[in-house]
Amino acid sequence: MGNRLPSSGAVVRFCQKLNRVKTLEDDLMETSFKRCLSTLDLTLLGVGGMVGSGLYVLTGTVAKEIAGPAVVVSFLIAGIASLLAALCYAEFGARVPKTGSAYMFTYVSVGELWAFLIGWNVILEYMIGGAAVARAWSGYLDSMFDHKIKNYTESHIGTWNVQFLAHYPDLLAAGILLFATAFISFGVRVSSWLNHIFAAISMVVILFILIFGFILANPKNWSAEHGGFAPFGFSGIMSGTATCFYAFVGFDVIAASSEEAKNPQKAIPIATAVSLGVATTAYILVSAVLTLMVPWNTLMPDSALSDAFYRRGYSWAGFLVAAGSICAMNTVLLSNLFSLPRIVYAMAEDGLFFQFLAKVNPTTKVPVIAIVVFGILMAILALIFDLEALVQFLSIGTLLAYTFVAASVIVLRFQQEKSEPSHEAEQEPSPQHHVPSVSAERIAGEEMKEYESFSDKLQLVETQKKANERRETGHLKATFEPYLKFLSDCYPGEVVTIAVVTMMFSAICLSSVLVFGSNELHLPQWSFYLLLVIFLIGFLISLFLIWVHEQQKKTTTFQVPLVPLIPAISILLNIYLMLKLNYMTWVRFIVWLALGLIVYFGYGIWHSKENLRGPKGHGVTAHYVVFPNSSLEETVQQVQPNLQDAMGRAEITEEEIHKR
């Protein structure tokens, strides 16, 4: 029985597989895609991805059912939280100009399993988002023709009375998705110009809504007569904020397009900031106009904006708004169909998803197979499913991705780069690159150290450094060493990684107390505040331990300011908003994660390219041994597969060293 249990070495190797990071090529600008997108192209892609169905559908839904006129504040907070996440996306997009967005960023800094789960959730996010937009598009077009399409479908094709399924098959929604899929397959330039046209029309219609809407505005609609500005209180505002994240999920199309940008180091940060600013301004102003034109409790969620103009007696304006909404939704459809196949391509290219999805058409330079397969799946979802109950699901996937990208920025910023030399003789190399195969040996009464690579691991400098000298990335700052000396012996970046995990745990506990402490848990007031103080202190201590370590030097690409403060605030806010979503959202989320784990352990972990890059387990390995007197001696040994320890390296005995 005992012989069947896995050895400790096997467990260690398995855990290493789950947390291995992606190896990037030397030339990050090399790609099988076509780099043809300018800063303007990326900005309009971002605006098109954000200003769409959320503006025309979500605004009315949140205003009537969740926040009231305070939907303005909900959009403002969601925009600020999205900006914090967008800064993290912009840094990664500039430093790692590869397609894959949050999946890629997590893979290069945190680990493979976490990257797969993020990518898995982003795939579902785009599929449900695209299908929901297609159904909203169909509904708006149908309303322009007095619901004749719906009536014809119900009378000639039939209806369904099944829970979670649509009342009738929406052939129009499925058709528009297949039509958009065909256009996306023609290449990035065709889809980009099509997005430009629809985005321009959408922005003109939004300007019309704002100008004409403020003329028709009635401040009494925000008065106490209709429930006041915030009829659902602060809780309603924050619940509305969690749902409003659906409106901003489109900005990551910019990061997903970084492998097709001409100058990603410059274009990604600018396009992200500008598009998010435009989208947030549009949402705040349009939601203000909508709730000032008509009382918030009389809104029709499915077509709130056009219906508001109809009710004020301007049917022609309502028709114009409905037409503009269709153009805006087209840009969101294009954004979803543009980003989704590229996430799938990145995962398939890394071996974590089925390989045939990574094929790029030599003529159009796009992953046509991935576009067609997921375009059809999205059309099937739009055809048969009632997706209204799944809108909140999009927010939880987005918030999870934001959280991991923010954590990845901290980990990467305090991680030594491959090209960064190491100068301290007293410090051991990072465990990510080296685990010593021998303990401290004594030769002639002196201590020696062994390194597996001359170029990366050899350390030959003076043993003492001046207190005011800047240390390497991931090391404790010299100023704090007298007070935190117990941290000096840790590997570079080790304390930061542990602190990030602790900070996320503290954020979860702190947010849980804030969200559930008073109502669901019925905590006494003294224990409520005590738990708040304890978890807040834990969060701040983790933040402090990260800050007292050296960051990477300033690079030529964009970097998030005030690290680790801004990513930490982003993590806390994202987790808080995730916990504000209803429990059914979490149930669906857990089920989808379980399916993802089955796919990963059944396919991804075995076909991963990083798995193929693993050590072969045999051959000749050269080691460089550095003695305290600065002499260097090379030792060569034959490594036998059956003698390898948990890290795949054979130990060198003291006798062998003396013999050589």
Side-chain angles (χ1 to χ4, degrees):
M1 183 80 179
N3 294 333
R4 295 182 181 179
L5 294 175
S7 64
S8 59
V11 173
V12 169
R13 285 192 293 272
F14 181 74
C15 293
Q16 282 183 319
K17 283 186 177 184
L18 301 183
N19 291 285
R20 57 195 171 198
V21 296
K22 179 177 173 61
T23 304
L24 295 173
E25 299 84 0
D26 293 333
D27 185 7
L28 292 177
M29 294 296 288
E30 184 180 351
T31 176
S32 56
F33 290 142
K34 183 179 180 181
R35 289 196 179 273
C36 57
L37 296 178
S38 64
T39 304
L40 178 61
D41 295 330
L42 292 171
T43 303
L44 290 177
L45 273 175
V47 171
M50 287 182 280
V51 182
S53 58
L55 190 74
Y56 294 94
V57 179
L58 192 66
T59 305
T61 302
V62 175
K64 182 175 182 179
E65 300 175 0
I66 302 177
V71 63
V72 175
V73 182
S74 295
F75 274 118
L76 176 61
I77 298 174
I80 294 173
S82 295
L83 177 62
L84 298 177
L87 292 173
C88 300
Y89 272 76
E91 174 168 336
F92 267 111
R95 293 184 62 177
V96 187
K98 292 292 184 181
T99 192
S101 190
Y103 156 77
M104 180 63 66
F105 305 155
T106 307
Y107 202 175
V108 300
S109 55
V110 177
E112 184 174 283
L113 174 62
W114 310 107
F116 177 86
L117 292 178
I118 292 297
W120 183 251
N121 279 290
V122 170
I123 288 174
L124 182 67
E125 169 195 318
Y126 278 123
M127 287 182 63
I128 294 179
V133 171
R135 289 194 69 91
W137 184 97
S138 173
Y140 257 86
L141 184 65
D142 198 22
S143 67
M144 294 172 65
F145 296 99
D146 198 23
H147 302 288
K148 291 181 179 179
I149 300 174
K150 174 185 176 182
N151 296 333
Y152 180 86
T153 304
E154 289 180 345
S155 59
H156 290 78
I157 297 178
T159 60
W160 298 321
N161 292 314
V162 182
Q163 193 176 10
F164 297 117
L165 294 184
H167 184 62
Y168 66 95
D170 198 335
L171 297 173
L172 185 60
I176 186 60
L177 277 169
L178 294 176
F179 189 71
T181 299
F183 268 99
I184 293 291
S185 301
F186 289 142
V188 64
R189 290 309 305 171
V190 174
S191 54
S192 177
W193 278 108
L194 198 61
N195 177 75
H196 288 5
I197 295 171
F198 287 129
I201 297 174
S202 177
M203 295 308 295
V204 170
V205 173
I206 289 173
L207 286 175
F208 167 78
I209 292 172
L210 294 178
I211 295 172
F212 197 39
F214 275 119
I215 292 174
L216 300 175
N218 184 0
K220 289 184 179 180
N221 291 324
W222 283 8
S223 66
E225 180 183 349
H226 296 285
F229 178 73
F232 298 96
F234 180 75
S235 178
I237 292 174
M238 297 309 296
S239 296
T241 299
T243 304
C244 286
F245 260 85
Y246 170 61
F248 296 98
V249 299
F251 79 78
D252 62 352
V253 66
I254 299 173
S257 309
S258 58
E259 197 163 339
E260 291 156 285
K262 293 178 182 177
N263 184 9
Q265 287 78 15
K266 179 181 178 182
I268 298 295
I270 294 175
T272 301
V274 173
S275 62
L276 192 61
V278 170
T280 304
T281 303
Y283 275 111
I284 291 173
L285 293 178
V286 168
S287 58
V289 164
L290 177 63
T291 52
L292 285 170
M293 284 178 62
V294 295
W296 62 271
N297 52 1
T298 64
L299 292 171
M300 290 186 62
D302 292 338
S303 54
L305 277 170
S306 59
D307 182 68
F309 282 103
Y310 280 121
R311 289 168 57 189
R312 294 299 298 268
Y314 298 93
S315 56
W316 61 270
F319 186 87
L320 181 63
V321 171
S325 70
I326 291 176
C327 291
M329 291 180 199
N330 283 334
T331 63
V332 180
L333 282 178
L334 291 172
S335 174
N336 278 271
L337 285 167
F338 185 90
S339 301
L340 174 57
R342 282 154 177 79
I343 304 292
V344 174
Y345 163 83
M347 297 177 69
E349 178 70 13
D350 292 333
L352 301 184
F353 222 42
F354 307 111
Q355 287 288 328
F356 70 92
L357 296 171
K359 292 182 179 179
V360 176
N361 186 281
T363 304
T364 60
K365 299 292 184 182
V366 294
V368 174
I369 296 178
I371 292 173
V372 172
V373 168
F374 282 89
I376 293 174
L377 290 176
M378 204 180 290
I380 293 173
L381 286 177
L383 177 69
I384 65 176
F385 281 102
D386 184 3
L387 299 169
E388 291 180 6
L390 297 178
V391 168
Q392 280 196 334
F393 191 90
L394 302 176
S395 295
I396 195 170
T398 304
L399 289 166
L400 183 69
Y402 289 177
T403 302
F404 269 87
V405 170
S408 298
V409 165
I410 299 176
V411 172
L412 189 68
R413 188 69 74 85
F414 291 87
Q415 193 177 74
Q416 286 187 323
E417 296 181 287
K418 290 182 179 179
S419 59
E420 186 175 348
S422 185
H423 299 298
E424 286 184 283
E426 294 179 347
Q427 289 285 33
E428 290 288 334
S430 169
Q432 295 183 7
H433 303 290
H434 168 57
V435 176
S437 64
V438 293
S439 58
E441 301 281 354
R442 292 282 177 180
I443 299 184
E446 294 181 317
E447 187 175 0
M448 52 78 67
K449 293 180 181 178
E450 182 198 6
Y451 300 86
E452 64 177 347
S453 167
F454 180 83
S455 59
D456 291 341
K457 312 295 187 219
L458 185 58
Q459 302 177 11
L460 290 172
V461 294
E462 64 215 16
T463 58
Q464 296 295 330
K465 298 182 68 180
K466 295 180 181 179
N468 60 353
E469 185 178 351
R470 187 188 187 280
R471 300 191 172 194
E472 291 82 19
T473 302
H475 289 253
L476 186 67
K477 292 179 180 178
T479 308
F480 295 96
E481 185 167 8
Y483 313 101
L484 301 171
K485 195 169 184 180
F486 63 96
L487 298 177
S488 301
D489 297 330
C490 298
Y491 296 143
E494 181 182 9
V495 176
V496 172
T497 302
I498 296 173
V500 169
V501 174
T502 306
M503 183 173 66
M504 293 181 71
F505 176 78
S506 301
I508 292 173
C509 295
L510 181 62
S511 300
S512 299
V513 173
L514 286 171
V515 175
F516 306 115
S518 299
N519 299 326
E520 284 80 0
L521 299 179
H522 304 291
L523 293 175
Q525 192 171 23
W526 67 268
S527 62
F528 176 81
Y529 288 111
L530 178 63
L531 290 175
L532 280 184
V533 171
I534 291 174
F535 293 129
L536 180 60
I537 290 175
F539 184 85
L540 294 176
I541 290 176
S542 302
L543 188 63
F544 173 76
L545 290 177
I546 297 171
W547 177 69
V548 297
H549 288 77
E550 294 286 358
Q551 296 186 35
Q552 290 179 0
K553 296 179 181 178
K554 184 70 176 178
T555 62
T556 55
T557 59
F558 173 79
Q559 286 188 319
V560 180
L562 300 178
V563 171
L565 180 61
I566 286 182
I569 295 175
S570 179
I571 289 171
L572 181 60
L573 188 54
N574 295 335
I575 291 174
Y576 175 81
L577 293 175
M578 287 175 71
L579 294 177
K580 291 293 289 184
L581 298 170
N582 64 48
Y583 77 96
M584 281 306 299
T585 301
W586 280 94
V587 171
R588 299 184 191 106
F589 176 68
I590 292 171
V591 171
W592 182 249
L593 278 186
L595 292 174
L597 290 173
I598 293 173
V599 173
Y600 175 72
F601 288 111
Y603 181 88
I605 193 172
W606 310 109
H607 295 82
S608 169
K609 286 189 176 180
E610 294 302 321
N611 188 47
L612 301 178
R613 286 194 180 102
K616 301 298 181 183
H618 56 81
V620 177
T621 303
H623 297 276
Y624 298 89
V625 181
V626 183
F627 297 91
N629 59 5
S630 298
S631 63
L632 176 69
E633 182 175 332
E634 180 181 1
T635 63
V636 181
Q637 67 179 106
Q638 188 76 18
V639 182
Q640 300 296 333
N642 59 343
L643 296 179
Q644 290 181 332
D645 62 6
M647 303 306 298
R649 296 185 53 198
E651 294 189 358
I652 301 178
T653 65
E654 188 172 345
E655 282 187 36
E656 289 175 321
I657 296 175
H658 279 301
K659 191 181 296 183
R660 291 170 182 171

